[in-house]
Amino acid sequence: MNTKPRVLIVGSMALDTIEAPGGKASNILGGAATFASLACSFFAQPVPICVVGEDFPQEHIDLLAGHGVDTSGIQRQEGKTFHWEARYLDDFDERETLDTQCNVFADFRPLLTQEQSEAHHLFLANIHPSLQLSVLDQMRGPKIVGCDTMNLWIDTEPATLRQVFSRCDILFLNDSEATLLCQARELRRAAEELSRLGPRCVVIKKGSHGAFVYYQRQVFLAPAYPLQKVIDPTGAGDAFAGAMMGYLAREGNIEPETVRKAVILGTILASFTVEGFGVDALRSLKTEEIIARYGELAEMTTFGRVTL
Ligand code: AMP
């Protein structure tokens, strides 16, 4: 029996077609819940709550189970799996969505079992904010709730999104989303503005430029790990959030020191994710490699005080 703390992860499970400077791959395993679950599995037991169609290969579910993921919340329904196609430009921080076919994901209504609703940790990946609210309503007193979103919901559902933010502890979003949501253009002021909506911790991801974290009125800056070669940036944000939530669950607290380590682990898992297509790099990752890269990043960013 897995005795690690459970982290419920609600979001998409997908078959993606990706064109990146590193090449092209069709119908590969993707989805926010997939990346978040694999990254989380190094620290806690992920319980993805999602829906897939009849075309979703059983080997993908077996891969997740092999990483200690509780796959009982993956519903298989008649129809096709959510399909997403994207192309990255030479600048990896920019991508173009070529096609989104919601398929069975269009009717996704997450319904938790009693056991799932008692989980202490919840990550709401990017889904319609009213579904995020319905999951929050089903939970019985979660201790740490993280949530993510996308520009579509910021444009079309701002009021519902604000209700979600008011009920979460950690808000994950990227810099363009933060500036879409806030009056302020400066990340520090935007983060302050966002934290007034409810979340204790605001994590603004800046792609290859790292992450800006605002917590308890303090700023924490995490640079991205400098990679030799990026293959496919898909899923970096979800892996970041999954790892961060997993580590917080493992430690059982959201103290500033724990949050800082969780952010760096998020950074590290995101860096491994983009070194392969889809989940290729995550599937073969070893805990020792995470620890080694964590040490390297600490070395690269540590400097002493100066007296002049
Ligand atoms: P990221 O690169 O972290 O933004 O995550 C990309 C993953 O999100 C891909 O594997 C997609 O399958 C999934 N995805 C893309 N668009 C959506 C959407 N509208 N809703 C839910 N998941 C999505």
Side-chain angles (χ1 to χ4, degrees), residues 225-245:
Y225 176 84
L227 288 168
Q228 300 281 1
K229 192 160 173 57
V230 174
I231 301 286
D232 167 19
T234 309
D238 306 307
F240 184 109
M244 185 167 168
M245 292 298 299

Side-chain angles (χ1 to χ4, degrees), residues 12 14 16 30-32 35 82 84 88 95 105 126 150 233-238:
S12 58
D16 291 342
F35 288 104
F82 177 77
W84 182 71
Y88 289 87
R95 74 181 173 206
F105 194 52
N126 164 36
M150 70 187 288
T234 309
D238 306 307

Side-chain angles (χ1 to χ4, degrees), residues 18-190:
I18 309 289
E19 270 178 61
K24 181 170 176 176
S26 301
N27 285 312
I28 54 172
L29 174 60
T34 305
F35 288 104
S37 293
L38 283 173
C40 178
S41 70
F42 291 92
F43 315 100
Q45 185 178 37
V47 188
I49 307 292
C50 40
V51 63
V52 296
E54 296 150 306
D55 55 346
F56 193 76
Q58 180 60 36
E59 66 182 72
H60 293 341
I61 300 189
D62 296 344
L63 164 76
L64 291 163
H67 279 76
V69 174
D70 174 347
T71 58
S72 63
I74 306 176
Q75 308 164 32
R76 197 184 275 279
Q77 266 174 26
E78 230 177 85
K80 289 177 81 177
T81 303
F82 177 77
H83 178 70
W84 182 71
E85 283 192 39
R87 180 192 296 138
Y88 289 87
L89 309 173
D90 280 335
D91 170 3
F92 282 108
D93 284 332
E94 268 193 68
R95 74 181 173 206
E96 203 184 336
T97 292
L98 303 174
D99 192 18
T100 302
Q101 291 168 23
C102 287
N103 300 326
V104 293
F105 194 52
D107 301 317
F108 179 48
R109 299 287 174 273
L111 267 188
L112 306 185
T113 63
Q114 168 145 0
E115 197 196 8
Q116 289 163 352
S117 69
E118 286 166 357
H120 289 161
H121 309 95
L122 169 67
F123 175 54
L124 296 164
N126 164 36
I127 48 170
H128 193 293
S130 63
L131 293 184
Q132 293 180 317
L133 278 183
S134 96
V135 174
L136 283 165
D137 288 340
Q138 293 173 62
M139 295 295 287
R140 298 166 190 234
K143 292 200 176 117
I144 306 178
V145 177
C147 104
D148 192 2
T149 191
M150 70 187 288
N151 47 10
L152 172 67
W153 310 129
I154 296 173
D155 287 336
T156 59
E157 297 282 340
T160 324
L161 212 48
R162 276 165 203 264
Q163 284 185 57
V164 177
F165 295 169
S166 73
R167 295 171 65 180
C168 78
D169 302 286
I170 308 176
L171 171 59
F172 296 94
L173 73 182
N174 60 38
D175 45 2
S176 62
E177 292 162 353
T179 42
L180 202 60
L181 258 162
C182 297
Q183 303 293 328
R185 287 288 163 273
E186 302 81 1
L187 288 188
R188 187 173 195 150
R189 285 180 50 217

